[in-house]
Amino acid sequence: MYIVGTSGHIDHGKTSLIRSLTNIDCDRLPEEKAREMTIDIGFANMEFPSFGTVSIIDVPGHERFIRNMVSGAWGIDIALLVIALDDGWMLQTEDHFRVLQLLGIERIIVVINKIDLGDEEMIETVKDDAKERLESTRYRDADIVPVSSKTGQGIDNLKDIIAANLHRLAKASDWDKPYLFIDRVFSPRGVGTIVTGTLKNGVFTDNDNVIVLPSKSMVKIKKIESHYKELHVGVTSQRTALNLSNITKDELKRGDIVCKNNFFTETDDTIAKIKIMQDNKKIKNNTYVEILAGTGSNRAKLIMLSDENLTDEMFVRLKFDTKTNLYPGESFILTAQGSCRIIGGGTVIVPHYVAAKHKRNMKIIIGAFNPKNINEIVLFNIAVKGSIKKEEIYSSLPISKKGCERIIAELETDKKILTINGIVLSHEYYANAITSIRRVLKEGSGLNTKEISDKSKIDFEICSLLMDIIHKEETLIEKDGRYFTQESVTEDTLPESKKQIIAMAKKNGGDGIELDKVKDSGEKKEIGDLIKLKFLVSLDGNIVYYKDVYDDMKRNILDLFNTRDKITISEAKDSVNLSRKYIIPLLNRIENEGLLKRLGDFRIKV
């Protein structure tokens, strides 16, 4: 299913155009009838052979009702930008056109209405003006269709063009995370509570248990309708009415959200990327604004993160007066507080910002990172927070788990992140965290993981993961949950198991320890640790000596050169009382240290 919506200046014939297309009058309120002016959003539908029922949303054109306009426009797939021939492109036409761009509406059709009031020359003039205004935007190739909703001229052609544009739309997303921004709430006698909205991102079915935000009320869907037809399944991008149980009309309002798998982040502090309209460049820091997201509106303080004056596009911090529910990549409109003036629009980048934890990283990346798609938005969040659990990414995006895994895999392939035990880290955070932990280990001996975490200011869970990596990369001794570096370890501070191995090596003297005769894998690992710590010396990967035993034998062999220039294997063997099995590996080890050199059957001192 898809949604078509109107937009444009007041009295340019949006409602009458829908009436001509559908035979449905969208003005349902008595005040709208009395004033002959659309005040709130209205609804109709059309039948297309290839698509079935297509929903139509009518929005008010008057600037005073811009919030209602955004409530209707946020979920549409195709916008009919209506321009009256006798007025041409007006102020509110421009505002509505900007809203469509800021919300990222996929396609528009420019409809020149009231052509019965002019001639071909006037039509061409308005067409040319529209083409010029579209030229520098994503809608440069949009269809421009002249019609008269009064006489019906061009209406059939418009229906064909709407159908053609529907065929060009991307397939509506179904990530199995359905949600609906409520735009109407009512309670007919004997029916219960009904909410309506545009269903996105998945399907609702009869008897689904769903959650209502921000109250977090758990309710059940008793019945689903679309355009007065009862359905068992409500599909994505469709006008949908839900009959909800266990909640009253008074507990709901426009702007609330119904969702099945909640991916929204409850927050009062957000980082967003905003685009400012040309005529609103000068905005003071700490200005209060309204954020129109979905069908709701929330007041926030706009805090600039860079220049004193806003540029065309920049990052800002939004501190909301009350908790709101947002997700990364969500589009919104920015208006002046309590005003009808549209300042611009933007995209949610980091839904939940904690200055005390994230400010330092934000300062580093803010000037060099401009996310333009969901992959880059996810990367930005990882860079700001340093590390994020995979499950947190899955639960904070309107994308399936499989889709999230694809994003993470692509970022890993591009070497922009790394994943350790289900936690995703930026490379810079990883490198800095490793450096901080190593510094703490060097400065303090015998610290436990909690103390290392506190001193390095690395989250305990992350610190534990990185300690495992450091432990593998360099020699650390763990005793009773406390860690010692190679520099701080003495034989006295070694665990008892390692002390026993050293005692055995000392006792064995020149016989050493032969690793291929050690059956216990744990004992082999202990021996390997002691070699790294230089308490033991490996001759050839198999024969291992206590360090003092090795040093004594090395000194005895080197002392032979006090009376001669070269020595034989036999002379070396006699000096340390070893068999040929041991003397060759011993000489090779001394040679590897650069102290001896082989010359035929002899060894000479280097």
Side-chain angles (χ1 to χ4, degrees), residues 170 268 536:
D268 58 7
L536 300 181

Side-chain angles (χ1 to χ4, degrees), residues 72-85:
W74 80 268
I76 65 178
D77 302 296
I78 296 176
L80 305 180
L81 183 61
V82 182
I83 306 170
L85 180 66

Side-chain angles (χ1 to χ4, degrees), residues 7-164:
S7 58
H9 197 80
I10 184 173
D11 202 31
H12 278 202
K14 296 183 294 297
T15 304
S16 62
L17 176 66
I18 292 179
R19 192 183 304 119
S20 295
L21 287 168
T22 66
N23 292 318
I24 297 172
D25 186 358
C26 291
D27 282 348
R28 54 190 169 80
L29 302 176
E31 187 180 355
E32 291 176 320
K33 300 289 188 184
R35 297 171 63 178
E36 295 185 346
M37 179 176 71
T38 300
I39 296 171
D40 203 357
I41 50 179
F43 311 99
N45 59 281
M46 294 175 63
E47 296 297 324
F48 287 90
S50 299
F51 298 96
T53 302
V54 172
S55 300
I56 313 289
I57 298 179
D58 187 27
V59 304
H62 198 288
E63 63 176 3
R64 282 184 293 163
F65 307 116
I66 191 65
R67 289 162 183 76
N68 291 346
M69 182 271 172
V70 174
S71 293
W74 80 268
I76 65 178
D77 302 296
I78 296 176
L80 305 180
L81 183 61
V82 182
I83 306 170
L85 180 66
D86 54 339
D87 281 341
W89 193 288
M90 300 283 282
L91 177 62
Q92 210 63 25
T93 313
E94 181 64 26
D95 278 353
H96 282 213
F97 181 53
R98 290 173 174 180
V99 168
L100 299 177
Q101 294 178 76
L102 293 167
L103 290 178
I105 304 305
E106 187 174 348
R107 303 189 70 82
I108 73 167
I109 300 169
V110 176
V111 181
I112 302 175
N113 195 14
K114 303 186 182 183
I115 60 173
D116 54 289
L117 299 180
D119 54 24
E120 285 298 325
E121 185 178 349
M122 289 178 66
I123 293 171
E124 289 304 314
T125 299
V126 175
K127 266 189 179 181
D128 290 342
D129 182 39
K131 285 179 182 177
E132 187 176 338
R133 294 173 186 272
L134 297 176
E135 182 58 37
S136 61
T137 74
R138 63 183 292 184
Y139 307 116
R140 64 179 62 87
D141 297 322
D143 292 301
I144 302 176
V145 188
V147 304
S148 170
S149 57
K150 181 177 181 179
T151 67
Q153 185 180 351
I155 294 296
D156 287 341
N157 182 41
L158 177 57
K159 289 179 180 179
D160 292 340
I161 288 174
I162 291 173

Side-chain angles (χ1 to χ4, degrees), residues 437-459:
I437 292 172
R438 282 178 169 151
R439 173 183 52 76
V440 169
L441 286 168
K442 185 177 181 181
E443 292 174 353
S445 180
L447 301 174
N448 61 31
T449 305
K450 177 66 168 59
E451 291 167 334
I452 296 168
S453 170
D454 291 342
K455 289 179 180 292
S456 64
K457 297 181 180 178
I458 305 297
D459 176 80

Side-chain angles (χ1 to χ4, degrees), residues 121-390:
E121 185 178 349
M122 289 178 66
I123 293 171
E124 289 304 314
T125 299
V126 175
K127 266 189 179 181
D128 290 342
D129 182 39
K131 285 179 182 177
E132 187 176 338
R133 294 173 186 272
L134 297 176
E135 182 58 37
S136 61
T137 74
R138 63 183 292 184
Y139 307 116
R140 64 179 62 87
D141 297 322
D143 292 301
I144 302 176
V145 188
V147 304
S148 170
S149 57
K150 181 177 181 179
T151 67
Q153 185 180 351
I155 294 296
D156 287 341
N157 182 41
L158 177 57
K159 289 179 180 179
D160 292 340
I161 288 174
I162 291 173
N165 277 266
L166 288 169
H167 279 290
R168 297 188 191 109
L169 288 171
K171 185 179 179 181
S173 298
D174 182 356
W175 290 112
D176 195 29
K177 290 184 178 180
Y179 66 95
L180 178 147
F181 283 107
I182 296 174
D183 51 41
R184 285 193 300 164
V185 184
F186 49 97
S187 185
R189 185 184 297 273
V191 174
T193 304
I194 306 292
V195 299
T196 68
T198 298
L199 177 56
K200 290 288 187 180
N201 215 45
V203 303
F204 285 143
T205 60
D206 285 345
N207 298 315
D208 269 347
N209 291 311
V210 294
I211 184 170
V212 176
L213 303 174
S215 66
K216 300 179 183 176
S217 303
M218 297 300 299
V219 301
K220 178 173 281 191
I221 297 174
K222 294 195 295 184
K223 187 178 178 182
I224 303 173
E225 284 189 2
S226 181
H227 302 293
Y228 306 104
K229 294 179 181 177
E230 186 173 348
L231 306 171
H232 294 296
V233 178
V235 300
T236 188
S237 218
Q238 177 188 55
R239 286 298 303 171
T240 306
L242 303 176
N243 187 344
L244 303 178
S245 64
N246 304 322
I247 196 163
T248 67
K249 174 186 173 183
D250 294 337
E251 295 176 87
L252 297 164
K253 66 182 183 305
R254 176 176 287 184
D256 287 355
I257 307 164
V258 180
C259 56
K260 187 159 66 173
N261 302 306
N262 183 21
F263 57 86
F264 288 86
T265 299
E266 186 180 62
T267 181
D268 58 7
D269 204 342
T270 296
I271 300 298
K273 185 175 75 169
I274 64 172
K275 186 176 181 65
I276 300 303
M277 290 185 174
Q278 281 301 121
D279 48 355
N280 289 302
K281 290 292 184 177
K282 300 289 184 180
I283 298 177
K284 293 181 180 179
N285 194 20
N286 294 321
T287 298
Y288 277 98
V289 296
E290 282 188 60
I291 305 300
L292 312 183
T295 57
S297 171
N298 288 279
R299 193 176 91 137
K301 182 188 286 187
L302 186 150
I303 301 171
M304 301 178 189
L305 296 179
S306 52
D307 300 330
E308 291 188 5
N309 290 320
L310 290 173
T311 56
D312 182 53
E313 190 174 73
M314 68 177 298
F315 290 99
V316 295
R317 181 179 173 190
L318 299 173
K319 292 192 71 175
F320 291 92
D321 286 356
T322 57
K323 295 284 188 182
T324 186
N325 288 275
L326 302 168
Y327 63 85
E330 183 175 5
S331 297
F332 60 85
I333 298 298
L334 197 65
T335 68
Q337 180 193 348
S339 167
C340 305
R341 184 169 63 97
I342 298 173
I343 298 171
T347 304
V348 175
I349 303 296
V350 182
H352 187 55
Y353 177 71
V354 182
K357 293 171 63 176
H358 304 149
K359 188 175 181 179
R360 183 169 175 269
N361 287 347
M362 178 65 74
K363 281 185 175 180
I364 294 171
I365 66 173
I366 197 77
F369 203 161
N370 185 22
K372 295 179 179 178
N373 55 47
I374 192 62
N375 283 33
E376 293 175 358
I377 290 174
V378 171
L379 180 60
F380 193 99
N381 275 267
I382 296 167
V384 168
K385 297 179 181 179
S387 66
I388 305 179
K389 291 181 179 180
K390 275 188 177 182

